[in-house]
Amino acid sequence: MYLKPMRTLFALFLCLFALAAQAQTATAKLPRVVILATGGTIAGTGATSTTTVGYTAATVGVDALIKAVPELQKVAQVSGEQVFQIASENMGNEQWLLLAKRVNALLAKPDVDGIVITHGTDTIEETAYFLNLVVKSRKPVVVVGAMRPSTAISADGPINLYNAVLTAGSQEAVGKGVLVVLNDQINAAREVTKTNTVTTDTFKSPELGMLGYVVGNQPHFYRASTRKHTLETEFDVSNLTALPQVDIAYSYANVGPAAINALVAAGAKGLVHAGVGDGSLPTKVRPALSSARKNGVVIVRSSRVGQGIVARNGEANDDELDFVVSDTLNPQKARILLMLALTKTTSTKDIQRMFSTY
Ligand code: DGL
């Protein structure tokens, strides 16, 4: 009398068990992506749903960011760590060294397939390029941010985070170097830069172009960077507790030597000159840079223009001045490469090679 219901219950139990096992197997096949949270607008909150400026960055924790996008669980086995919680205008060498060491430690684990770093957009291009030069793995590292706080109508953070996790867990992103993913676009760390103070399409790689898109729940790559990155670089921060002081001096009409002299007096070991045009040296500035060089400060001639090659021996006789030129790196990225170069050498010949390589 009870046999038939028991059989039905047992069959039901077996079906549920099989479904649970199937779901667990499916999840186990998903890539394992670790999200390292650092702050920024993606973790920001505003007073109202229409507050898209004048909000507070770096207030929402990594667990809340992950919880706000349940779709992440369908595309990756996601875990989160709050590395720090800052607005990215306050990013510094201490944070970069801590972040780079954590990224390398995680990527060395066989059970980590990729990393996403949530970050403020103000210096996302700098952190991404620094990591591009010091991460020692081919596994994907994707840096992501948002231009609207998490509380805003049509906040871009959730979809950017989803696209970043998709990309970090993909085979297509392996070996591509550190990537910046926002606004459905994939940009390389070396070329990407913030081009608009407030709009969601702000990140571009002017002239040299983005690498691809994230569309239809997957990344699509059309290009790859030709410059060396990650495993191919000569830089290693694993034993570093500090980085050399390198600063930027900006030039403009009527500029004088005061800023350069002050930066040198404050102990700069390297100085990037953000020159006008093709890195031109104003007459009032040249002697200060030349004197700094003679006192051992390594000088890199860059340009405030943002695109194009700063040609060696073009607007100045770099051979005679013993200066380095920045190739196509903008001043803020030239500063990063010079800082890492100075951890290896003070030879301007060797440093110029690095600017032609990375
Ligand atoms: N304070 C800026 C930052 O943390 C906000 C900009 C943003 O994250 O989009 O970079």
Coordinates of all heavy atoms in Angstrom, one line a residue, residues 71-119:
E71 N 24.1 37.8 -11.7 CA 24.5 37.2 -13.0 C 25.9 36.7 -13.1 O 26.3 35.9 -13.9 CB 24.2 38.1 -14.2 CG 22.7 38.5 -14.4 CD 22.2 39.6 -13.4 OE1 23.0 40.1 -12.6 OE2 21.0 39.9 -13.5
L72 N 26.7 37.3 -12.2 CA 28.2 36.9 -12.2 C 28.3 35.4 -11.9 O 29.2 34.8 -12.5 CB 28.9 37.7 -11.1 CG 29.1 39.2 -11.2 CD1 29.8 39.8 -10.0 CD2 29.8 39.5 -12.5
Q73 N 27.4 34.9 -11.1 CA 27.5 33.5 -10.7 C 27.2 32.5 -11.8 O 27.6 31.4 -11.8 CB 26.5 33.2 -9.6 CG 26.5 34.1 -8.4 CD 27.9 34.3 -7.7 OE1 28.6 33.3 -7.7 NE2 28.2 35.5 -7.2
K74 N 26.6 33.1 -12.9 CA 26.3 32.2 -14.1 C 27.5 32.1 -15.0 O 27.6 31.3 -15.9 CB 25.1 32.8 -14.8 CG 23.8 32.8 -14.0 CD 22.7 33.4 -14.8 CE 21.4 33.6 -14.0 NZ 20.4 34.4 -14.6
V75 N 28.5 33.0 -14.8 CA 29.6 33.0 -15.8 C 30.9 32.7 -15.2 O 31.9 32.5 -15.9 CB 29.7 34.4 -16.6 CG1 28.4 34.6 -17.4 CG2 29.9 35.6 -15.6
A76 N 31.0 32.8 -13.8 CA 32.3 32.5 -13.2 C 32.1 32.1 -11.7 O 31.0 32.4 -11.2 CB 33.2 33.7 -13.2
Q77 N 33.1 31.4 -11.2 CA 33.1 31.1 -9.7 C 33.8 32.3 -9.2 O 35.0 32.5 -9.3 CB 33.8 29.8 -9.4 CG 33.2 28.6 -10.1 CD 34.1 27.4 -9.8 OE1 34.2 26.9 -8.7 NE2 34.7 26.9 -10.9
V78 N 33.0 33.2 -8.6 CA 33.6 34.5 -8.2 C 33.8 34.6 -6.7 O 33.0 34.1 -5.9 CB 32.6 35.6 -8.6 CG1 33.0 37.0 -8.0 CG2 32.4 35.7 -10.1
S79 N 35.0 35.2 -6.3 CA 35.3 35.5 -4.9 C 35.8 36.9 -4.9 O 36.3 37.4 -5.9 CB 36.3 34.5 -4.3 OG 37.5 34.6 -5.1
G80 N 35.7 37.6 -3.7 CA 36.1 39.0 -3.7 C 37.0 39.3 -2.5 O 36.9 38.6 -1.4
E81 N 37.9 40.2 -2.7 CA 38.8 40.7 -1.6 C 38.8 42.3 -1.6 O 38.9 42.8 -2.7 CB 40.2 40.2 -1.8 CG 40.4 38.7 -1.7 CD 41.9 38.3 -1.8 OE1 42.8 39.2 -1.8 OE2 42.1 37.2 -2.0
Q82 N 38.6 42.9 -0.5 CA 38.7 44.3 -0.4 C 40.2 44.7 -0.1 O 40.6 44.7 1.0 CB 37.8 44.9 0.7 CG 37.6 46.4 0.7 CD 36.6 46.8 -0.4 OE1 35.6 46.2 -0.6 NE2 37.0 47.8 -1.1
V83 N 40.9 45.0 -1.2 CA 42.4 45.3 -1.0 C 42.6 46.6 -0.3 O 43.4 46.7 0.7 CB 43.1 45.3 -2.4 CG1 44.6 45.4 -2.2 CG2 42.7 44.0 -3.1
F84 N 41.8 47.6 -0.7 CA 41.7 48.9 0.0 C 40.5 49.6 -0.5 O 39.8 49.1 -1.4 CB 43.0 49.8 -0.1 CG 43.7 49.7 -1.4 CD1 43.3 50.4 -2.5 CD2 44.8 48.9 -1.6 CE1 44.0 50.4 -3.7 CE2 45.5 48.8 -2.8 CZ 45.1 49.6 -3.9
Q85 N 40.1 50.8 0.0 CA 38.9 51.4 -0.3 C 39.1 52.9 -0.4 O 39.0 53.7 0.5 CB 37.8 51.1 0.7 CG 36.4 51.7 0.5 CD 35.6 51.0 -0.6 OE1 36.0 51.1 -1.8 NE2 34.5 50.3 -0.2
I86 N 39.6 53.3 -1.7 CA 40.0 54.8 -1.8 C 39.5 55.3 -3.1 O 39.2 54.6 -4.1 CB 41.5 54.9 -1.8 CG1 42.2 54.2 -3.0 CG2 42.1 54.5 -0.5 CD1 43.7 54.5 -3.1
A87 N 39.3 56.6 -3.2 CA 39.1 57.3 -4.5 C 40.4 57.3 -5.2 O 41.5 57.5 -4.6 CB 38.6 58.7 -4.2
S88 N 40.4 57.0 -6.5 CA 41.7 56.7 -7.1 C 42.6 57.9 -7.4 O 43.8 57.7 -7.7 CB 41.4 56.0 -8.5 OG 41.0 56.9 -9.5
E89 N 42.1 59.1 -7.1 CA 43.1 60.3 -7.2 C 44.1 60.1 -6.0 O 45.1 60.8 -6.0 CB 42.3 61.6 -7.1 CG 41.5 61.8 -5.8 CD 40.1 61.4 -6.0 OE1 39.8 60.4 -6.7 OE2 39.2 62.0 -5.3
N90 N 43.8 59.3 -5.1 CA 44.7 59.1 -3.9 C 45.6 57.8 -4.1 O 46.2 57.4 -3.2 CB 43.9 59.0 -2.6 CG 43.2 60.3 -2.4 OD1 43.7 61.4 -2.6 ND2 41.9 60.2 -2.0
M91 N 45.5 57.2 -5.3 CA 46.3 56.0 -5.5 C 47.8 56.4 -5.4 O 48.2 57.5 -5.8 CB 46.0 55.5 -6.9 CG 46.5 54.1 -7.2 SD 45.7 52.9 -6.1 CE 44.0 52.9 -6.7
G92 N 48.6 55.5 -4.9 CA 50.0 55.8 -4.7 C 50.9 54.6 -4.9 O 50.4 53.5 -5.1
N93 N 52.2 54.7 -4.8 CA 53.1 53.6 -4.9 C 52.9 52.5 -3.9 O 53.0 51.3 -4.3 CB 54.6 54.1 -4.8 CG 55.0 55.1 -6.0 OD1 54.2 55.2 -7.0 ND2 56.1 55.8 -5.8
E94 N 52.5 52.9 -2.7 CA 52.3 51.9 -1.7 C 51.1 51.0 -2.1 O 51.2 49.7 -2.0 CB 51.9 52.6 -0.4 CG 51.6 51.7 0.8 CD 51.0 52.4 2.0 OE1 51.2 53.7 2.0 OE2 50.5 51.8 2.9
Q95 N 50.0 51.6 -2.6 CA 48.9 50.8 -3.1 C 49.3 49.9 -4.3 O 48.9 48.8 -4.4 CB 47.7 51.7 -3.4 CG 47.0 52.3 -2.3 CD 47.7 53.5 -1.7 OE1 48.6 54.1 -2.3 NE2 47.3 53.9 -0.5
W96 N 50.0 50.5 -5.2 CA 50.5 49.8 -6.4 C 51.3 48.5 -6.0 O 51.1 47.4 -6.6 CB 51.2 50.7 -7.3 CG 50.4 51.5 -8.2 CD1 49.0 51.5 -8.3 CD2 50.8 52.6 -9.0 NE1 48.6 52.5 -9.1 CE2 49.6 53.2 -9.6 CE3 52.0 53.1 -9.4 CZ2 49.6 54.2 -10.5 CZ3 52.1 54.2 -10.3 CH2 50.9 54.7 -10.8
L97 N 52.2 48.7 -5.1 CA 53.1 47.5 -4.8 C 52.2 46.5 -4.1 O 52.3 45.3 -4.3 CB 54.2 48.0 -3.9 CG 55.3 48.8 -4.6 CD1 56.3 49.4 -3.6 CD2 56.0 47.9 -5.6
L98 N 51.3 46.9 -3.2 CA 50.5 45.9 -2.5 C 49.6 45.2 -3.5 O 49.5 44.0 -3.4 CB 49.6 46.7 -1.4 CG 48.8 45.9 -0.4 CD1 48.5 46.8 0.8 CD2 47.5 45.4 -0.9
L99 N 49.0 45.9 -4.4 CA 48.1 45.3 -5.3 C 48.8 44.4 -6.3 O 48.4 43.3 -6.5 CB 47.4 46.5 -6.2 CG 46.3 46.1 -7.2 CD1 45.2 45.4 -6.5 CD2 45.8 47.3 -7.9
A100 N 50.0 44.8 -6.8 CA 50.7 44.0 -7.7 C 51.2 42.7 -7.1 O 51.1 41.6 -7.6 CB 52.0 44.7 -8.2
K101 N 51.6 42.7 -5.8 CA 52.0 41.5 -5.1 C 50.9 40.6 -4.9 O 51.0 39.4 -5.0 CB 52.7 41.9 -3.8 CG 54.1 42.6 -4.0 CD 54.7 43.1 -2.7 CE 56.0 43.9 -3.0 NZ 56.5 44.5 -1.8
R102 N 49.7 41.2 -4.6 CA 48.5 40.3 -4.3 C 48.1 39.7 -5.6 O 47.7 38.5 -5.7 CB 47.4 41.1 -3.7 CG 46.2 40.3 -3.3 CD 46.5 39.3 -2.3 NE 45.4 38.3 -2.0 CZ 45.6 37.1 -1.7 NH1 46.8 36.5 -1.7 NH2 44.6 36.3 -1.4
V103 N 48.1 40.4 -6.7 CA 47.7 39.9 -8.1 C 48.7 38.7 -8.4 O 48.2 37.6 -8.8 CB 47.8 41.0 -9.1 CG1 47.7 40.4 -10.5 CG2 46.6 42.0 -9.0
N104 N 49.9 38.9 -8.3 CA 50.9 37.9 -8.6 C 50.7 36.6 -7.7 O 50.9 35.5 -8.2 CB 52.3 38.4 -8.6 CG 52.7 39.2 -9.9 OD1 52.2 38.9 -10.9 ND2 53.5 40.3 -9.7
A105 N 50.5 36.9 -6.5 CA 50.3 35.7 -5.6 C 49.0 34.9 -6.0 O 49.1 33.7 -6.0 CB 50.1 36.2 -4.1
L106 N 48.0 35.6 -6.3 CA 46.7 34.9 -6.7 C 46.9 34.2 -8.0 O 46.5 33.1 -8.2 CB 45.6 35.9 -6.8 CG 45.0 36.4 -5.4 CD1 44.1 37.6 -5.6 CD2 44.2 35.2 -4.7
L107 N 47.5 34.9 -9.0 CA 47.7 34.3 -10.3 C 48.6 33.1 -10.3 O 48.5 32.2 -11.2 CB 48.1 35.3 -11.3 CG 47.1 36.4 -11.7 CD1 47.7 37.4 -12.7 CD2 45.8 35.8 -12.2
A108 N 49.4 33.0 -9.3 CA 50.3 31.8 -9.2 C 49.6 30.6 -8.8 O 50.1 29.4 -8.9 CB 51.5 32.1 -8.2
K109 N 48.3 30.8 -8.3 CA 47.5 29.6 -7.8 C 46.9 28.9 -9.0 O 46.2 29.6 -9.8 CB 46.5 30.1 -6.8 CG 47.0 30.7 -5.5 CD 45.8 31.1 -4.6 CE 46.4 31.6 -3.3 NZ 45.3 31.5 -2.2
P110 N 47.0 27.6 -9.0 CA 46.3 26.9 -10.2 C 44.8 27.0 -10.2 O 44.2 26.9 -11.2 CB 46.8 25.4 -10.0 CG 47.2 25.3 -8.6 CD 47.7 26.7 -8.1
D111 N 44.2 27.4 -9.0 CA 42.8 27.4 -9.0 C 42.2 28.9 -9.2 O 41.1 29.2 -8.8 CB 42.2 26.8 -7.7 CG 42.7 27.6 -6.5 OD1 43.7 28.4 -6.6 OD2 42.2 27.4 -5.4
V112 N 43.1 29.7 -9.7 CA 42.6 31.1 -10.1 C 42.9 31.3 -11.6 O 44.0 31.1 -12.1 CB 43.4 32.2 -9.3 CG1 43.1 33.6 -9.9 CG2 43.0 32.1 -7.8
D113 N 41.8 31.6 -12.3 CA 41.9 31.7 -13.8 C 42.1 33.1 -14.3 O 42.5 33.4 -15.4 CB 40.7 31.1 -14.4 CG 40.5 29.6 -14.1 OD1 41.5 28.9 -14.3 OD2 39.5 29.2 -13.6
G114 N 41.6 34.1 -13.5 CA 41.7 35.5 -13.9 C 41.4 36.4 -12.7 O 40.8 36.0 -11.7
I115 N 41.7 37.7 -12.9 CA 41.5 38.7 -11.9 C 40.8 39.9 -12.4 O 41.1 40.3 -13.6 CB 42.8 39.0 -11.2 CG1 43.3 37.9 -10.3 CG2 42.7 40.3 -10.4 CD1 44.6 38.1 -9.6
V116 N 39.8 40.4 -11.7 CA 39.2 41.7 -12.0 C 39.6 42.6 -10.8 O 39.5 42.3 -9.7 CB 37.7 41.5 -12.1 CG1 37.0 42.9 -12.1 CG2 37.3 40.8 -13.4
I117 N 40.0 43.9 -11.2 CA 40.3 44.9 -10.2 C 39.3 46.0 -10.4 O 39.2 46.7 -11.4 CB 41.7 45.4 -10.4 CG1 42.7 44.3 -10.1 CG2 42.0 46.6 -9.4 CD1 44.1 44.6 -10.6
T118 N 38.5 46.3 -9.4 CA 37.5 47.4 -9.4 C 38.3 48.6 -8.9 O 39.0 48.5 -7.9 CB 36.2 47.2 -8.6 OG1 36.6 47.0 -7.2 CG2 35.5 46.0 -9.1
H119 N 38.1 49.8 -9.6 CA 39.1 50.9 -9.4 C 38.4 52.2 -9.8 O 37.5 52.2 -10.7 CB 40.3 50.6 -10.3 CG 41.5 51.4 -10.1 ND1 41.6 52.8 -10.4 CD2 42.7 51.1 -9.6 CE1 42.8 53.2 -10.1 NE2 43.5 52.2 -9.7

